[in-house]
Amino acid sequence: EDQVTQSPEALRLQEGESSSLNCSYTVSGLRGLFWYRQDPGKGPEFLFTLYSAGEEKEKERLKATLTKKESFLHITAPKPEDSATYLCAVQSSGYALNFGKGTSLLVTP
Amino acid sequence: DVKVTQSSRYLVKRTGEKVFLECVQDMDHENMFWYRQDPGLGLRLIYFSYDVKMKEKGDIPEGYSVSREKKERFSLILESASTNQTSMYLCASSPLDGGYGYTFGSGTRLTVV
């Protein structure tokens, strides 16, 4: 059975203080690892898909990386508008995504 | 832009009522999904569909059913609503291979009283 574990559960950063969120996974065969951002009361918003170990993707202050056991979402010089819950999900043999419980990020001015 | 539209943002229903949650997507996606999201539990898959009239149970199908009569529309049905079905319900769609991203709707916050 697929397992996705995100850490930390919550993270508080000062504006400009870079950090990383972790997503560790156990799957029988990884077809894709997804990162989403979710604002309160809204649906998840797609950020990245990673397919193979060593792959990296960037978008503004966010950079996602993938190894055979985990993925990191690096946030460089975050701003208050980066505050959100970040969700990691894996797709293995089926059509559906299996989600972690998320990391709640708060960036203070 | 791909759009997944859920018919209601907020719903309040009484215990025992039959509840319909509607979801429509405009990108001709084969796959559609219903998840529920609860604090501390994350997103859990209720049902999904990979084609018209096709459906597969997810991790927590008990108390729910689904209907997909047209490719663009996927309905979640609570046959007899109960208070433990109070939750945020999220619909999503994707191409058949699920590749570049699953697009979510804005969610329906359902309260069963």
Side-chain angles (χ1 to χ4, degrees), chain B residues 15-77:
Chain B
T15 301
E17 275 192 81
K18 191 169 186 175
V19 181
F20 293 85
L21 303 183
E22 305 287 345
C23 176
V24 177
Q25 52 97 0
D26 66 359
M27 273 299 288
D28 202 34
H29 283 169
E30 288 81 8
N31 297 337
M32 295 188 75
F33 309 86
W34 277 105
Y35 288 85
R36 66 177 281 177
Q37 186 175 30
D38 300 287
L41 297 177
L43 275 84
R44 293 178 292 166
L45 181 67
I46 305 171
Y47 267 97
F48 70 96
S49 168
Y50 53 90
D51 200 354
V52 175
K53 297 191 186 296
M54 305 302 290
K55 59 187 179 185
E56 295 283 344
K57 292 180 180 179
D59 299 319
I60 51 165
E62 296 79 18
Y64 303 95
S65 62
V66 290
S67 173
R68 194 164 180 203
E69 296 295 321
K70 293 185 177 181
K71 190 174 185 179
E72 67 271 17
R73 187 180 296 271
F74 193 35
S75 303
L76 180 69
I77 304 155

Side-chain angles (χ1 to χ4, degrees), chain A residues 31 34 36 38 41-46 48-49 51 87 91 94-101, chain B residues 9 31 33 35 37 40-41 43 45 48 50 88 90 96-102 104-106:
Chain A
R31 294 178 61 196
F34 298 76
Y36 282 85
Q38 187 176 25
K42 296 188 177 180
E45 177 186 342
F46 172 74
F48 305 110
T49 309
Y51 294 101
L87 300 170
Q91 184 191 16
Y95 296 111
L97 298 183
N98 189 358
F99 282 85
K101 294 180 181 179
Chain B
R9 288 301 309 275
N31 297 337
F33 309 86
Y35 288 85
Q37 186 175 30
L41 297 177
L43 275 84
L45 181 67
F48 70 96
Y50 53 90
M88 169 71 99
L90 291 160
L96 188 62
D97 65 1
Y100 51 83
Y102 291 59
F104 281 84
S106 298

Side-chain angles (χ1 to χ4, degrees), chain A residues 61-80:
Chain A
R61 295 177 292 282
L62 300 177
K63 179 179 176 180
T65 62
L66 182 65
T67 72
K68 288 186 179 179
K69 292 184 179 180
E70 58 192 349
S71 176
F72 291 94
L73 185 66
H74 307 278
I75 304 176
T76 303
K79 298 182 177 181

Side-chain angles (χ1 to χ4, degrees), chain A residues 40-61:
Chain A
K42 296 188 177 180
E45 177 186 342
F46 172 74
L47 292 174
F48 305 110
T49 309
L50 302 166
Y51 294 101
S52 57
E55 190 174 359
E56 299 182 351
K57 289 195 177 170
E58 286 188 67
K59 180 179 180 179
E60 296 179 356
R61 295 177 292 282

Side-chain angles (χ1 to χ4, degrees), chain B residues 71-109:
Chain B
K71 190 174 185 179
E72 67 271 17
R73 187 180 296 271
F74 193 35
S75 303
L76 180 69
I77 304 155
L78 286 66
E79 297 290 344
S80 178
S82 64
T83 55
N84 63 12
Q85 293 178 310
T86 291
S87 186
M88 169 71 99
Y89 289 87
L90 291 160
C91 176
S93 73
S94 79
L96 188 62
D97 65 1
Y100 51 83
Y102 291 59
T103 304
F104 281 84
S106 298
T108 296
R109 172 74 64 184

Side-chain angles (χ1 to χ4, degrees), chain A residues 15-16 37 61 78-84 105-109:
Chain A
E15 185 172 2
R37 169 193 170 125
R61 295 177 292 282
K79 298 182 177 181
E81 54 262 41
D82 294 321
S83 297
L105 174 66
L106 177 64
V107 182
T108 57

